[in-house]
Amino acid sequence: MDSTTAREAPAVPERGGGRGGRRLGAWLSGLLLLGVSAVVGCRAADTDGVTPVPQLLAFLPWLLVPTGVALLIAVLARWRTGLVWGVVVLGALAWFIEPYGKATQARGTPVAELRVMASNVEFGRATPSLIAAVKRERPDVVFVEECEVGCASALTEEFGDGGTSYPYRRAVEGYGSDGSVILSRYPLQSAAGVPGTMGMPGAVAEVEGHPVRLQLAHPMPPLPHQVDLWRRELGALRDFAARGGSQATILAGDFNASQDHAAFRRILDTGLRDSARLAGASRTPTWPARTSPRFGVQIDHVLVSQEFSVRSVRFLDLAGTDHRAALADLTLHRRDGTEG
């Protein structure tokens, strides 16, 4: 055989294993993108869908991880459709990760400054840590979720009914996760709370002569068998917010929902603003506390009406609970308007 014949010898055909590997990669990439696309599609359609979509929506920013993996697999598999698909999904995620809701601060004559704390003490286990935090931070109003009878008794013993620290309170007694308490330095008038499976008391506080509606939030979580109940109880909180009219309102607690849930966004659409959003901390995780702030979601919120501006928001780690406490410094204004 001469050199010319050798040069013209046919190339060895590609092995079937290479094509099979790329085909498998395309399948894996497609499955990942399909799952993420289903969740992103519900977010775009302004619906929470059905299980497992509500649970996955809470972790929407973290869907960047499987999307990135899918894109990498698509590159290795030379799957052009997957590359385009993945880029589109990444763009949609980037769009929806932006903070939701109005970012306008109240203006006008300031009439009072107040500090608000909201804390889920997980069946009362974090009560000693909460008491220490309240003494240290000295909030004016405290919303306590999952404050069962032992927790309520400890708060009474520590601060005392009619005492100088928090002489006013409204509570729904209960065991386990059912009990909730509002503590206040300001006089409280009775108000009907929002009905729910777990206690959600309400009141009207007299803050320097100005009435402020207070409502504790603690709807059921969106577990697979109770998504409809979770949606209804968030809807009841939305109805409370919509009834506010021109009244100053604080709606705070464990909402078991993030800004990526349509049911929570409908509460914001009534005109309430998330204090964390106004303070530039709308994606700071509050649950689960054991992995926050590295990993988690923000489901504990202090929502305020347009009569309030927000000076700062912090999130506190309390021993014994899977939630971080939200601490918001607010200023109450006369309702003269708003500014961006």
Side-chain angles (χ1 to χ4, degrees), residues 10 33 46-47 59 67 80 83 88 104 175 236 254 304 313:
L33 289 173
D46 198 31
T47 178
F59 295 92
T67 304
R80 293 181 181 179
L83 288 173
V88 171
T104 54
Y175 294 89
D254 170 13
V304 297
V313 170

Side-chain angles (χ1 to χ4, degrees), residues 81-308:
T81 301
L83 288 173
V84 175
W85 187 0
V87 169
V88 171
V89 172
L90 275 180
L93 284 171
W95 176 266
F96 290 126
I97 286 173
E98 285 296 306
Y100 183 87
K102 297 178 180 178
T104 54
Q105 294 272 24
R107 70 180 186 184
T109 305
V111 296
E113 294 186 351
L114 63 159
R115 175 171 287 182
V116 174
M117 177 184 286
S119 176
N120 182 322
V121 292
E122 194 178 6
F123 311 120
R125 295 169 186 159
T127 302
S129 185
L130 172 68
I131 290 173
V134 168
K135 288 182 176 180
R136 181 178 67 251
E137 302 293 344
R138 298 181 59 81
D140 299 293
V141 180
V142 186
F143 297 83
V144 190
E145 305 87 63
E146 299 194 17
C147 186
E148 40 72 65
V149 291
C151 165
S153 177
L155 293 178
T156 299
E157 180 178 352
E158 188 65 42
F159 300 113
D161 284 327
T164 58
S165 297
Y166 297 93
Y168 309 101
R169 68 183 60 202
R170 289 292 181 272
V172 174
E173 296 183 356
Y175 294 89
S177 62
D178 295 345
S180 291
V181 175
I182 300 174
L183 301 177
S184 175
R185 297 185 188 277
Y186 302 110
L188 295 180
Q189 300 175 8
S190 297
V194 173
T197 307
M198 298 182 288
M200 294 192 283
V204 176
E206 286 294 326
V207 180
E208 304 298 333
H210 298 267
V212 176
R213 296 195 310 159
L214 305 178
Q215 176 59 54
L216 183 146
H218 195 204
M220 291 294 285
L223 298 178
H225 60 283
Q226 58 189 32
V227 169
D228 287 342
L229 177 59
W230 165 78
R231 190 179 286 113
R232 286 197 302 272
E233 294 190 354
L234 281 169
L237 290 170
R238 186 264 172 205
D239 293 342
F240 163 82
R243 291 193 299 268
S246 60
Q247 301 177 73
T249 299
I250 299 174
L251 172 58
D254 170 13
F255 286 76
N256 280 309
S258 74
Q259 71 171 47
D260 297 309
H261 289 114
F264 180 74
R265 292 195 301 276
R266 291 187 181 109
I267 297 175
L268 297 178
D269 289 344
T270 65
L272 295 186
R273 284 87 48 78
D274 196 326
S275 58
R277 165 81 167 101
L278 298 181
S282 61
R283 287 290 184 182
T284 304
T286 64
W287 177 89
R290 293 168 184 83
T291 58
S292 296
R294 295 176 299 279
F295 174 80
V297 297
Q298 187 177 112
I299 61 175
D300 300 88
H301 308 273
V302 177
L303 307 186
V304 297
S305 60
Q306 60 183 318
E307 289 78 19
F308 290 95

Side-chain angles (χ1 to χ4, degrees), residues 35-90:
V36 174
S37 296
V39 179
V40 173
C42 287
R43 176 65 178 84
D46 198 31
T47 178
D48 292 320
V50 297
T51 297
V53 173
Q55 295 81 7
L56 292 173
L57 275 170
F59 295 92
L60 185 76
W62 295 98
L63 295 183
L64 290 169
V65 175
T67 304
V69 171
L71 267 173
L72 177 60
I73 296 174
V75 169
L76 296 175
R78 303 175 190 173
W79 184 35
R80 293 181 181 179
T81 301
L83 288 173
V84 175
W85 187 0
V87 169
V88 171
V89 172
L90 275 180

